Amino acid sequence: MNSATYNIYTFDTFEKLVDRFVASTGLYFPKLSEGKDSFFKGFYNWLSAEKKNSNFALIAPEPSQALSLPNPAQVLYSALKPVINSPSEDCIFEYLYKYGLDPSISTQPITTLSGGEMLLLNYAKAEAQADYAERFIASNPIFWLNSSRYHYWLNLKELYSSKQKSIDVIVLNGDTYFDNTDSENDFNIKPLEFKLSIQEPKVCFPEIRFPIYHAARAISYKCHKEIIVKSPFLITGDNGVGKSIFSGMLSSIVDINSGNLSVEAINGAASCRLVFQEAVSQCFALTPEILISGVFCADYEKKLLAQNFFQRLISEFNNHEELQMSDNNIYTLLSLKIALIAERLADKPALLLLDEPGWGLSCKDAQLLVYKVALLAHELGIALGIVSHQPTWHKFAASKLTLKRLSQNEVDIEYESFKFF
Amino acid sequence: MNRLNFFKIHLVKPFWLRFIIFIIVGLPLFSNFPALFISQILSKFFNPEFALIISYPLISFFIWLFCLPSLGLNKFLDYMSAAFLMALTTVITSSLLQNLFPFIFMENAYAASVRLLRLYFNVLAVFPWSLTFINSFSPDSIINALTQLRTPFREAGLHFALALRVFQHVGTVVSKLLLIWKERYPSLLVMRHTGENKKLKFIFAWVRWLAYSVIDWVYASIILTFEPIPAMVNEFEILSERNKKNDFSEK
């Protein structure tokens, strides 16, 4: 009889975490931060290597990676098929419901799910696989979750333990749940004010009729006010409430169907730039230097400025051994994030939004990065917003916007300024 | 509404029948024979040259009609706008190349024009046909169906299911990259930072930026499409193995 073990492995960089995941699962997981040459080399090696099937339940370092099929219904149907001959729709809904997911997302394309929803779907899939998976390997299994949903992880852990199956958890140092060794540093940032005007913005997502029907959806932010917001500020709320959509609207990448949402800095700037959750994809698989050179190819002055910001921020991580190797063209997720931030700071927008800045970084690195970026941004008159559900960021924030779901299609926004600033 | 379901190709079952229908309907896109056959019939009523020319748009029209019920009007128009863009770009580029390097294209003007016309309507039809084809099959149901097949067919079928999923994934990658691009360059086709460049300098910088952007798009699309393939392969093989075991144990 197997004796179930529960192991937690912590790492200080995302790259080391990925190495461990690959070693544990035998599954190739490309490190896009190392650039395209490294990707093609790794992919070629994977193609020419002998394949070993790893019959594990997985949560990959990027939660979407272990969800190979197009929508939640198909993911769960396939995971359940070996156990139940023909899983019914009700059975699939039951699994979604069990992990706090609305059954209406069953036909929604995976890529449009929020980070938290994707992780919960991974949980539901892992539960469906519990009977036949040899073990459960989960990397960053809590990161995307709001603390009110941590109990889903406990349920899953209990299930695997009761079936005598081992669980390996791979996390980054300072993970809020598994390695809560939060630094006691004081982050003194002088607040910067800017004007945020919210006039009941509404976003509509049209119905999808092909290949699978998915009903139209709309999110209406029920808030009509002008606020003087203190930066750095936090945009927070439950999983799937619409934080990323709100930041998308602010940065004009999500079209607003009615109402309005705008920012205005003291210096008159009115634009907002966003660093996505998926910083790796946002780099277009380019290395930091090429990214900055490409964006500013027609503006030499801004290019120098961006390069200067990049060097300034990267020098804050002098003790970071991976970054020290950048002379040999080895890049990390951290250096990519810094490049994206430097590029945006050189543009001097009114507001810079960092969507889940801690993803793929150890707690220490994430906090240092956000602190240094806040200081630099305020020096330039740029406000900084952090989009996250993680409690860690409260100590940085001079104020916060909390998004609360009023109904299926309505979200309320509450503003709170912290007195100690 | 239900009556329309009969014409929706993605609802045809079993999946192999759907596959055969797709191949038959798409045949004119790969072979000249159907166009020649139609032009022969039409030549009884029209001038043979005109009959040949009119057979190409007729075939495209038939393929659009075939795809429309499944796609719905909005999606069809989305696909068609991309198809028109691609068809015009291809034909204009080909025509320019033909005029710039006539020694490479050793054909008379009439034959060259007919070839370009055929290319134009082929692109207009290939685009909606291939996207409807790719999205009309669900990889997991193919894998499930494959468990009943013998080994060589199973292997081939697994590769087909994987290829299908990868092609489906291209659509997701492109829309994700578009969002990223929009954040970086809100005007999409002009760089965000133009500096204080004068007209000529700006045009030079823009051409260079455009060329690099095309290269970046190609690489990013390939890399982000290939990125999940190892995980997909692993999952598909596990599903196939598990279903097979399940199937045998039931027997």
Side-chain angles (χ1 to χ4, degrees), chain A residues 53 68 111 274 282 298 344, chain B residues 135 165 172 183-184 197 237:
Chain A
N53 281 353
S68 299
T111 43
L274 171 68
Q282 198 174 1
R344 275 147 191 80
Chain B
N135 290 304
R165 183 67 197 108
T172 341
E183 197 280 336
R184 196 181 296 167
N197 288 321
E237 282 180 349

Side-chain angles (χ1 to χ4, degrees), chain B residues 95-112:
Chain B
S95 170
L96 278 174
L97 287 173
Q98 211 164 298
N99 285 299
L100 284 173
F101 309 104
F103 47 91
I104 299 176
F105 303 89
M106 303 289 273
E107 54 191 354
N108 65 47
Y110 178 76

Side-chain angles (χ1 to χ4, degrees), chain A residues 212-409:
Chain A
I212 291 165
Y213 181 81
H214 183 68
R217 201 168 66 105
I219 299 185
S220 190
Y221 293 85
K222 291 284 166 200
C223 180
H224 195 108
K225 53 188 164 193
E226 271 191 3
I227 320 165
I228 300 296
V229 178
K230 283 182 189 169
S231 161
F233 74 105
L234 185 63
I235 299 178
T236 191
D238 195 7
N239 293 119
V241 75
K243 299 188 290 289
S244 294
I245 294 170
F246 187 73
S247 2
M249 288 193 297
L250 272 171
S251 52
S252 308
I253 54 166
V254 173
D255 295 328
I256 300 173
N257 291 80
S258 65
N260 198 18
L261 186 63
S262 60
V263 287
E264 195 186 323
I266 293 162
N267 61 12
S271 61
C272 169
R273 299 295 307 271
L274 171 68
V275 176
F276 285 42
Q277 289 176 2
E278 308 97 344
V280 183
S281 316
Q282 198 174 1
C283 278
F284 255 64
L286 300 172
T287 52
E289 286 90 351
I290 298 175
L291 174 83
I292 292 174
S293 304
V295 172
F296 298 104
C297 65
D299 196 331
Y300 187 68
E301 277 177 27
K302 280 192 178 171
K303 181 176 158 184
L304 284 183
L305 202 61
Q307 282 171 340
N308 177 273
F309 293 153
F310 178 72
Q311 288 304 333
R312 216 170 125 181
L313 289 170
I314 213 124
S315 65
E316 302 290 347
F317 296 88
N318 273 335
N319 55 353
H320 214 280
E321 58 182 88
E322 277 76 16
L323 286 179
Q324 294 313 302
M325 288 191 281
S326 58
D327 289 343
N328 304 328
N329 294 332
I330 293 175
Y331 298 99
T332 63
L333 182 62
L334 176 62
S335 64
L336 282 188
K337 286 196 178 201
I338 292 176
L340 287 168
I341 291 167
E343 181 216 318
R344 275 147 191 80
L345 288 177
D347 188 28
K348 298 208 176 136
L351 170 65
L352 171 67
L353 286 176
L354 306 178
D355 196 351
E356 294 296 355
W359 181 77
L361 300 180
S362 69
C363 184
K364 195 176 128 209
D365 285 349
Q367 291 188 357
L368 184 62
L369 177 69
V370 174
Y371 177 57
K372 293 296 172 184
V373 170
L375 290 180
L376 182 55
H378 283 195
E379 193 184 308
L380 298 164
I382 303 167
L384 182 78
I386 302 160
V387 187
S388 179
H389 57 265
Q390 299 229 322
T392 329
W393 301 116
H394 277 92
K395 62 181 163 194
F396 286 89
S399 61
K400 74 169 173 176
L401 289 171
T402 309
L403 273 56
K404 284 183 182 164
R405 184 172 280 134
L406 295 173
S407 68
Q408 181 86 2
N409 300 322

Side-chain angles (χ1 to χ4, degrees), chain B residues 2 11 16 27 34 46 60 70 72 74 80 89-90 97 103 109 114 129 136 138 169 171 181 198 227 243 245 248 250:
Chain B
N2 283 340
L11 300 179
W16 53 263
L27 198 64
F46 305 106
S60 298
S70 278
N74 289 342
M80 284 312 293
T89 317
T90 314
L97 287 173
F103 47 91
V114 172
W129 179 85
S136 289
S138 126
H169 185 61
W181 197 255
K198 297 265 160 54
E227 187 197 5
N243 288 348
K245 276 181 196 168
F248 285 135
E250 271 175 28

Side-chain angles (χ1 to χ4, degrees), chain A residues 43-63:
Chain A
F43 197 80
Y44 175 76
N45 289 341
W46 171 78
L47 274 178
S48 41
E50 199 181 323
K51 309 278 178 303
K52 281 191 293 184
N53 281 353
S54 50
N55 192 4
F56 306 135
L58 296 174
I59 295 179
E62 167 74 66

